[in-house]
Amino acid sequence: MTGALVNSIVDEVHTPVPLLSHLDEIESRIRKAEFIALFLDFDGTLSDIVPMPGEAVLDEGIRATLREMAGRPDFNVSIISGRSLEDLRARAGLERVMYAGNHGLEIEGGDVRFRQPEAETLRRELRCVMLQLKLALSETEGLEVEDKGLTLSVHFRRVIEHLHDWVRSVAYSTIGRSRSFVCTEGKMVLEVRPQVIWNKGYAVKWITTEVLPPSALPIYIGDDTTDEDGFAALPQGITIRVGDASQTAACYVVPDVPSVRQFLDWLNHAKPNASISNSERTGR
């Protein structure tokens, strides 16, 4: 694909309803579904937000449930994150799971391997941008510029608050000198991504089209602005925003990671086990 990065494919936002008090609304859909396609963000969804990205760990209760789900023939579990694919896989440590790193620019699972081709051609140029950012922000205590291969993250959660606007200004100015990349903001992080038409929403559509059976019922859970594209890509699915979200493309909201754990445990038991062939499972 060519053209500018689509930062959002969100057409409509609304006030979501609390999921855990409205499970009866989705229970019949869950029970009737032949196949569940579960899409999950990592930080703030499966792991609590921490001061340093390297400190994030998968909630152990969620790990046990996802391991069980991944072994079922009627579930496909995909973890889609801004983290690099290598970091995401190592941090989650789950087998039989689809991993989508760098906001879906790289996807792997089983015999599936995808790289967004235009992003691949920009690796060397991205490294030059990273060196420029590190030089411009080198004396900022608590700041981290993370190289994720296909993207960069500028973490400023530990930077003294009165410098936050300055960090934003320097980062946007530095990235603005390049026509190949765009800078967007998440939770105390600036994301530097290739100027290509791709985001979590496109990644979700690619997985549902290329990997999953047509009958799959998609469920997407995420906590960040980048997950809004994933919600918008699944208008017929069950979409869940984690945290305080008065306006979102998601239909439902849960407050925190423990509530995600509670829902996933409920989902694993609410969906009766089914037996389908491997060809039906992969849509091939």
Side-chain angles (χ1 to χ4, degrees):
M1 296 180 180
T2 59
L5 173 76
V6 175
N7 291 326
S8 177
I9 58 175
V10 179
D11 294 320
E12 182 180 349
V13 295
H14 51 261
T15 301
V17 299
L19 174 67
L20 297 182
S21 58
H22 290 77
L23 291 176
D24 56 315
E25 293 181 4
I26 64 172
E27 186 169 8
S28 62
R29 294 183 68 190
I30 297 295
R31 290 186 175 278
K32 292 177 182 177
E34 295 180 3
F35 193 90
I36 299 289
L38 188 60
F39 297 96
L40 302 158
D41 180 38
F42 187 83
D43 295 274
T45 300
L46 305 182
S47 167
D48 289 318
I49 298 294
V50 292
M52 294 290 290
E55 297 173 351
V57 295
L58 178 62
D59 178 274
E60 285 303 320
I62 291 177
R63 183 192 302 277
T65 301
L66 291 183
R67 183 179 292 116
E68 186 173 339
M69 286 178 165
R72 292 179 55 162
D74 53 349
F75 271 83
N76 179 276
V77 178
S78 297
I79 303 179
I80 179 167
S81 169
R83 290 179 178 271
S84 71
L85 191 144
E86 181 181 358
D87 179 40
L88 182 61
R89 181 188 285 113
R91 212 162 288 279
L94 293 166
E95 298 180 356
R96 291 177 289 188
V97 165
M98 189 78 61
Y99 291 102
N102 277 311
H103 305 281
L105 291 172
E106 47 184 355
I107 302 171
E108 287 187 8
D111 60 353
V112 174
R113 186 181 188 278
F114 169 83
R115 297 291 186 277
Q116 209 285 339
E118 289 178 89
E120 278 286 340
T121 66
L122 294 171
R123 281 184 183 267
R124 181 174 295 182
E125 188 174 345
L126 181 65
R127 184 163 183 81
C128 292
V129 171
M130 179 187 69
L131 295 176
Q132 293 170 15
L133 279 172
K134 286 187 172 182
L135 181 62
L137 298 167
S138 61
E139 297 184 7
T140 310
E141 186 175 351
L143 184 134
E144 179 185 352
V145 179
E146 181 186 4
D147 179 6
K148 299 186 293 186
L150 294 176
T151 69
L152 303 174
S153 288
V154 180
H155 300 278
F156 59 94
R157 184 177 297 276
R158 297 191 305 132
V159 174
I160 191 167
E161 188 173 355
H162 76 261
L163 291 179
H164 287 185
D165 285 342
W166 177 80
V167 169
R168 292 185 182 98
S169 177
V170 170
Y172 279 106
S173 176
T174 301
I175 303 308
R177 292 195 290 269
S178 169
R179 295 184 178 181
S180 300
F181 302 97
V182 66
C183 186
T184 58
E185 185 167 352
K187 293 182 176 179
M188 307 300 283
V189 62
L190 299 172
E191 301 282 3
V192 181
R193 291 186 276 171
Q195 190 99 300
V196 298
I197 302 177
W198 201 261
N199 55 37
K200 287 185 177 182
Y202 284 93
V204 165
K205 286 183 175 180
W206 188 90
I207 293 172
T208 55
T209 301
E210 301 294 330
V211 180
L212 302 178
S215 62
L217 171 63
I219 301 175
Y220 191 115
I221 312 176
D223 79 307
D224 209 347
T225 54
T226 58
D227 295 305
E228 292 294 328
D229 296 308
F231 302 147
L234 301 170
Q236 305 305 317
I238 297 170
T239 49
I240 305 162
R241 178 73 184 246
V242 184
D244 183 16
S246 58
Q247 293 293 304
T248 175
C251 296
Y252 299 95
V253 64
V254 293
D256 49 27
V257 173
S259 61
V260 174
R261 182 198 316 132
Q262 183 179 347
F263 169 70
L264 291 176
D265 184 62
W266 174 87
L267 175 64
N268 191 35
H269 290 88
K271 173 73 172 74
N273 274 285
S275 178
I276 62 177
S277 70
N278 188 60
S279 61
E280 291 173 318
R281 175 185 173 91
T282 61
R284 297 175 181 177

